[in-house]
Amino acid sequence: MTRTSDKPHYASLPGEDELVLVTSVLGASASWLAHAFLKEALTAGERAVVFVSFTRDLGFHSECLRKLGIDLTAYGAKGRFTFVDGLSKLFSPSTPGPSSAAAGALSATGGIKGIMNGITQAVRRLTAGSGKPLLILENPEFLSAALESVGVVEMGDMVMELREISYGVIIMVNADSAFLQEPRTRLEIDHTAFVINLSHSAAWTVGLRLLDTGIAKDVSGVIRVTRGVGDTSAEEKEVLYYVGDGAVEVFDRGQVRG
């Protein structure tokens, strides 16, 4: 497992066959944490990364990573990184050809099976170069909301199959209380079940939320790390964080920033 004493556990990468779950809420986006994972994985030089996003395009992530000194296009040209667009062309009958950093876009034309095939192809393409890649899924729960034929069973099967062909998996999902507290609709019930099932399979969970006391100008939110299955070394801890322009500060309660 990738862990060092000078590296905060919330940004540590999963070990082989491990799943890390990241939950976030409206107002406490996990995008910065996705970028921290990407930077750690790419600079470590150990294996390739497949990043699948159902909420944001490659341009957004490339710009954010550029501020951290990471050129995704360059890593794509080296066969270390590929981006799969799960949003912009999801309901289009055709998808664009791949670039050095992007493996094209997913289409819902073939249902969940077609989406699964698109992700699998991207993973296997990088597997040929440096062994199984790390897989990051950003907001895959969007599929359950967008496609009537996709429920918690189909989502669970997809995650299981992707874990088998990946070195480790990081899944980032929304965990707003509106979805998880007393779910009534099919969407709410499937969303709640999906998040709960993931938490029961995760080596550890990193939860992002707003301050209980409301918004503060010098604190963006709270990070809570919770141990999961088979990972007794994870330190359960709760800290504060602040997202600035291209930088994130993490600090304990009562500690002075900077």
Side-chain angles (χ1 to χ4, degrees):
M1 185 180 302
T2 306
R3 244 176 243 148
T4 61
S5 58
D6 61 345
K7 191 188 307 165
H9 189 275
Y10 66 84
S12 298
L13 303 177
E16 187 172 8
D17 297 327
E18 283 187 332
L19 166 67
V20 172
L21 174 63
V22 177
T23 65
S24 61
V25 299
L26 186 65
S29 170
S31 291
W32 68 268
L33 189 51
H35 302 149
F37 282 127
L38 279 169
K39 180 179 180 180
E40 174 63 25
L42 293 174
T43 55
E46 296 176 356
R47 61 187 64 256
V49 181
V50 176
F51 186 24
V52 185
S53 178
F54 293 92
T55 51
R56 295 177 176 85
D57 61 16
L58 177 60
F60 169 81
H61 292 294
S62 294
E63 177 61 22
C64 292
L65 267 296
R66 183 188 63 77
K67 295 179 181 179
L68 299 178
I70 302 296
D71 185 345
L72 292 182
T73 300
Y75 278 104
K78 296 176 184 177
R80 292 281 318 286
F81 173 79
T82 193
F83 178 83
V84 181
D85 184 345
L87 178 63
S88 64
K89 302 293 182 180
L90 191 62
F91 298 102
S92 174
S94 60
T95 59
S99 67
S100 58
L106 300 176
S107 172
T109 302
I112 190 67
K113 184 173 293 186
I115 292 171
M116 180 66 191
N117 288 340
I119 300 175
T120 299
Q121 289 175 14
V123 171
R124 295 198 184 283
R125 190 177 299 118
L126 290 194
T127 299
S130 57
K132 291 182 177 180
L134 171 69
L135 175 63
I136 301 177
L137 299 175
E138 184 179 40
N139 298 118
E141 74 275 13
F142 172 76
L143 293 175
S144 182
L147 303 174
E148 291 186 3
S149 61
V150 178
V152 63
V153 174
E154 291 76 17
M155 293 295 296
D157 290 344
M158 182 183 75
V159 170
M160 186 183 305
E161 291 183 36
L162 290 175
R163 290 188 67 182
E164 291 179 355
I165 62 174
S166 306
Y167 176 80
V169 180
I170 300 171
I171 301 182
M172 320 186 84
V173 298
N174 182 285
D176 275 292
S177 58
F179 283 105
L180 304 182
Q181 291 184 0
E182 298 183 5
R184 294 183 176 86
T185 67
R186 181 203 67 89
L187 174 60
E188 293 171 342
I189 293 172
D190 282 349
H191 186 108
T192 300
F194 181 56
V195 174
I196 291 175
N197 289 346
L198 288 176
S199 67
H200 289 168
S201 302
W204 67 90
T205 297
V206 182
L208 305 183
R209 70 174 195 274
L210 297 173
L211 285 170
D212 297 334
T213 54
I215 299 175
K217 65 178 181 179
D218 57 348
V219 178
S220 298
V222 181
I223 306 172
R224 180 174 178 79
V225 178
T226 306
R227 281 196 298 267
V229 296
D231 182 17
T232 57
S233 63
E235 179 187 3
E236 292 195 333
K237 189 174 183 179
E238 188 169 286
V239 294
L240 306 179
Y241 70 95
Y242 175 76
V243 181
D245 185 18
V248 176
E249 296 180 54
V250 177
F251 47 96
D252 292 320
R253 293 181 183 274
Q255 180 181 347
V256 179
R257 279 182 43 218

